[in-house]
Amino acid sequence: MKYETLVHILDAICQEAPEGSKRYKPDENDVEKMNQARARAFIHLYLKVKFGLSDFSDRERTITDASEDGGIDAYHIDSETKVVYLIQSKFRTNEKNFEDKEISLNELLAMEIDRIMRGEETGENGVPYNGKIKQLQRDISSIDDIARYNYKIVILANLESVPPNKIRQLCGGYSAEVFNYQKAYQALVLPVLTGTYFTANDIMIPVDLSSKNAGSKISYNVKTKNCDCEITVLFVPVIEIAKIMDKYRNAILKYNPRSYLDLEGKSVNSSIKSTLLERDTNEFALFNNGITMLSDETYINERIGQKNKAQLQVKNPQIINGGQTSFTLSRIYHADKVAAEKDLANKEVLLKVITLLGNDSQENKLQLIDEISNATNKQTPVINADRFSNESFHITIQQMVFENFGLLYERKRGEFSDGIRDGYLSESEVVERNHFWRLYYTANGRIARGFQKRLFQQNEFSGIDPNDKNSFKNLYMAIQVFGAIKGRYRRDQKIPREEYAKVYLYVRIHGEESALDAESIEANMRVVNTAFKLFFSWIESQEGNIAGRRTSVNRKTGEKRVTFSQERYFKGPTFEKDFTEWLTANRALLDSSAREVA
């Protein structure tokens, strides 16, 4: 499933190419050309995630993969970190090869890095390098302080059989980083789906001083029980916040209790948008509560050689309040950058930057961040479930279920909306957090708890071991089976509790042996439905005090009437015990039914 998600992302990246691009948009029936397009898109994915290159043409410019490329498939020059990245990529066209097959040592030895960096115009075979490699040479030669730069080789392929020191030797003595299949899934696929792929280190925000009588800012030092802080308050251009949010997306909302929330149906977001776009004046500065941003270091310079201008510098910024404001600004900017420059001109928003000072413990800082978030998120109420979403337990679960099963666990509301909007996945692939836990408990036999609706908000997961792969394997099966069951109901229909019980029966009866394609699930469900009927016939025939059974007396006639409700029975405590007992006694009968279905 993870590989299928990766391929879907690569196909979406190919669609970002200009119209008529046969390299990225070949005939779908031409398997070889499709594979070549995806292989090139895989490099695009790396450049987008690691360096925040959101524009297709910017990435395509630095992809050198072609004949006479000197073994270099792409490059990136990072002027901030002073590193030249040289990329060698080997994409595999099926899941097994992508996860098992390694890049050959000959392909690494084919990288003519020293020769290219020395400015040689031809390869060792005497044939001139292609135009993109010559462009790489020109780009490097134009760097004034190239002596301060380091070189790093990036290998987008599996290379488990070679130790790191040998990899360095194979790469001509240069530092090398290997992105094997596991790292590709965790560091490329999942981040691009959640919009958390490009971390902001330092941001610069220009400030207009022309209408500010008391200077550009107000600063105030605050001592708290957790750590010392400096608060800087100033008005900044909304267009700059829009650009920052569009570039860094959810990566700048790490400590915010919510991720992106779509505009449609969100009254606060719609109100923000209308205030900005329907007025030429700056009422937005009055109406909006502003943005609160965390920073490790904050500087403001009013002497930048421009009249009535200043510059704000923020290190490692994180927005903890005003995420909806920032999000809406980014959507306006992303939809039409030229129009946004005009529509958002001369409009400002209040920015409060909280700089965390000193060398206090990370735990103290996180506690203070949580308290600030709780106190400041008032414009749209933040429910407790949103606050729990950033706990390490949920982060661990999210990473584990994706790594092992390809599941997309939505711990933060709206965190996958970026991937959905970009066409990298569909909404149906995301598992909403309450639904996730209802099926977890159902699949593992705690049916009554699985019936509860707000499990995430209760945040009572102390008994769950994230390392218990079997319980999450049951969950994975339950999600696939429930998806097939749900398809038989209209979107507006409530799913009866008995369907959750059938999911549990499915997991108990079929277990690890079951294939999870649509045809297999349909066939196996026939066995489950048979078991469901037989089991309840047995339960109703039992004597004594059975959960779900009620006896009523007609007051006039004195006649006793016994009724049995499956709904009441599911609420009782004995379903799992009863079913296990029945299943043990009737396993041969069910196996016979399964063979008949097959």
Side-chain angles (χ1 to χ4, degrees), residues 6 59 100 127 181 219 224 233 247 255 328 391 433 456 484 519 547 572:
L6 169 61
R59 300 191 301 263
D100 294 342
V127 179
Y181 78 96
S219 292
T224 76
V233 181
K247 181 175 182 178
Y255 298 122
T328 307
E391 291 182 356
R433 56 197 184 187
F456 192 90
E519 186 176 340

Side-chain angles (χ1 to χ4, degrees), residues 49-50 52 80 196-202 248 251-252 316-318:
V49 172
K50 292 297 292 181
E80 289 188 17
T196 57
Y197 50 84
F198 186 50
T199 304
N201 294 317
D202 286 282
Y248 297 110
I252 206 170
N316 296 328
Q318 283 293 323

Side-chain angles (χ1 to χ4, degrees), residues 542-554:
Q542 299 303 298
E543 297 182 357
N545 186 21
I546 303 296
R549 179 183 293 166
R550 284 186 180 176
T551 302
S552 59
V553 179
N554 189 310

Side-chain angles (χ1 to χ4, degrees), residues 145-175:
D145 57 346
I146 187 61
R148 298 174 59 194
Y149 279 67
N150 293 315
Y151 292 87
K152 187 170 187 176
I153 312 303
V154 176
I155 302 167
L156 300 180
N158 297 319
L159 192 57
E160 305 296 328
S161 60
V162 182
N165 62 321
K166 294 294 184 182
I167 295 175
R168 190 181 184 103
Q169 290 179 17
L170 290 169
C171 294
Y174 294 102
S175 172

Side-chain angles (χ1 to χ4, degrees), residues 451-462:
F451 289 153
Q452 298 177 31
K453 292 184 178 180
R454 296 184 178 179
L455 291 171
F456 192 90
Q457 191 165 349
Q458 294 173 26
N459 202 33
E460 296 174 359
F461 305 113
S462 58

